Amino acid sequence: MNELLNRIIESNREITSKGKVATYIPALSKANPKHLGICVADMQGNIYTAGEYNVKFTLQSISKTISLMLAIMDNGEEEVFKKVGMEPTGDAFNSIVKLEMINPSKPLNPMINAGAIAIASLIKGKDGEEKFQRLLSLFKKITGNEDLKVNEEVYLSEKRTGDRNRSMAYFMRDVGILEGDVEEILDVYFKQCSIEVDCVDVAKIGLFLANKGRVPHTSEKIVSEHIARIVKTFMVTCGMYNASGEFAIKVGVPAKSGVGGGIMAAVPHKMGIGVYGPALDEKGNSIGGYEVLKELSRELNLSIF
């Protein structure tokens, strides 16, 4: 497997030159656009790696999968989906346009920024810090990595430049989707996006979802199979932003990308995959990571369809 992964990484290195690192969050612009790495974690406990798999990056939108899970655990499915819809969107992940156009004015799904901010507001805790620490503890348990922490530089950069997210949040409070202190809710959201990981951590999140909500290395059941299925379904329909349909056809596994360059994939009953390549395509997905997953899916016949 390591040999296959090395071959796939090297054959897709060149395509990274066609992408660009995210610059709208200034701290993300420091990433090396040539980096490309992968980790595959399987049900038997094997970890396979290639390329720059141990370079640190921030979760960004990959974090939306686990915050959704925690919000459902805290409030129940019905309560969560009163605030956030279940439909994919053809708009960009940070688009504000549909919020005002649809009635009721709730975000279309939890994988776009507006939806993820609404989800962050539903996590229970006496204040923003307690809410975030509960979420971080969940990530630590799922990955088995007690050293996970927030990248302060990225977090402060997001907080300083997050005006569009702020405007969405205040609009949602105005129409009754958000309750509570908007800045505190945004702080939870900015921090969850700024959790620093590598490909191994991301592969283990994917493996946890592939294993129906159980942590394979401890066999601990963190969440019901039903909730794990909800999260994976959103990954298929909305996880790759407005390229989700194409990704489902060409790769065919539940996946979630982030503008930090990561992609987390969960191949049911088989494996979790973490890919990193900070050079992004025009839709905000890792350009090299996408190609790596496409080739790996073809080689190992991973598509669930």
Side-chain angles (χ1 to χ4, degrees):
M1 176 72 98
N2 281 334
E3 200 177 302
L4 171 65
L5 296 183
N6 274 310
R7 178 162 57 77
I8 291 173
I9 288 288
E10 293 314 317
S11 70
N12 286 290
R13 273 200 188 276
E14 206 175 302
I15 199 164
T16 59
S17 64
K18 295 183 177 160
K20 292 189 173 84
V21 296
T23 53
Y24 68 94
I25 299 168
L28 296 184
S29 66
K30 297 179 180 179
N32 183 339
K34 295 191 174 84
H35 279 165
L36 195 59
I38 186 170
C39 172
V40 171
D42 70 16
M43 292 293 181
Q44 289 69 47
N46 300 307
I47 301 278
Y48 304 100
T49 56
E52 287 79 29
Y53 73 91
N54 54 359
V55 170
K56 298 284 187 196
F57 59 97
T58 50
L59 277 173
Q60 299 300 326
S61 289
I62 296 170
S63 66
K64 295 170 181 175
T65 55
I66 305 304
S67 60
L68 171 62
M69 198 176 83
L70 183 55
I72 297 174
M73 289 160 73
D74 279 353
N75 302 275
E77 199 180 327
E78 195 180 327
E79 236 8 76
V80 168
F81 294 114
K82 276 181 190 169
K83 305 278 188 187
V84 184
M86 297 183 183
E87 298 305 324
T89 168
D91 300 320
F93 60 91
N94 59 353
S95 174
I96 196 168
V97 67
K98 290 258 170 61
L99 273 179
E100 199 169 9
M101 285 171 66
I102 58 174
N103 191 16
S105 286
K106 67 181 186 182
L108 279 170
N109 67 69
M111 299 294 131
I112 52 174
N113 290 11
I117 293 165
I119 291 297
S121 76
L122 296 169
I123 293 170
K124 296 211 181 301
K126 67 175 186 292
D127 55 24
E129 185 55 29
E130 187 179 300
K131 290 173 186 183
F132 174 69
Q133 287 303 329
R134 289 186 63 233
L135 184 56
L136 184 61
S137 296
L138 194 51
F139 276 106
K140 288 178 178 178
K141 195 180 275 192
I142 289 167
T143 58
N145 182 357
E146 283 298 320
D147 298 327
L148 288 186
K149 62 181 191 296
V150 167
N151 178 317
E152 286 292 322
E153 186 191 359
V154 174
Y155 157 61
L156 292 172
S157 190
E158 297 219 20
K159 198 177 165 94
R160 264 196 309 272
T161 59
D163 290 338
R164 188 184 293 229
N165 287 325
R166 219 166 248 114
S167 61
M168 285 191 265
Y170 278 101
F171 180 83
M172 287 190 288
R173 188 177 69 173
D174 181 59
V175 295
I177 295 292
L178 286 198
E179 290 164 32
D181 186 309
V182 172
E183 292 301 325
E184 187 180 89
I185 292 162
L186 283 166
D187 218 46
V188 174
Y189 175 68
F190 293 143
K191 279 181 182 164
Q192 76 177 56
C193 289
S194 305
I195 296 170
E196 198 168 58
V197 291
D198 60 20
C199 287
V200 180
D201 298 315
V202 173
K204 286 182 175 174
I205 299 168
L207 184 62
F208 158 77
L209 289 167
N211 198 34
K212 304 177 182 175
R214 279 183 191 274
V215 178
H217 61 274
T218 62
S219 293
E220 183 184 352
K221 186 177 183 179
I222 291 181
V223 67
S224 72
E225 196 175 319
H226 177 65
I227 294 175
R229 190 183 297 129
I230 290 172
V231 173
K232 283 180 287 192
T233 307
F234 274 118
M235 286 163 68
V236 170
T237 58
C238 317
M240 299 295 287
Y241 307 130
N242 45 331
S244 297
E246 182 191 316
F247 187 87
I249 289 166
K250 292 186 175 173
V251 183
V253 297
K256 182 74 199 85
S257 63
V259 294
I263 303 177
M264 178 265 289
V267 186
H269 323 298
K270 287 183 183 171
M271 64 182 72
I273 307 167
V275 183
Y276 172 61
L280 309 179
D281 62 21
E282 69 283 355
K283 289 178 178 170
N285 297 315
S286 169
I287 196 164
Y290 191 137
E291 292 303 317
V292 163
L293 285 169
K294 197 156 76 176
E295 199 170 325
L296 186 66
S297 178
R298 201 166 52 234
E299 288 274 353
L300 300 178
N301 194 24
L302 297 180
S303 177
I304 63 170
F305 300 109

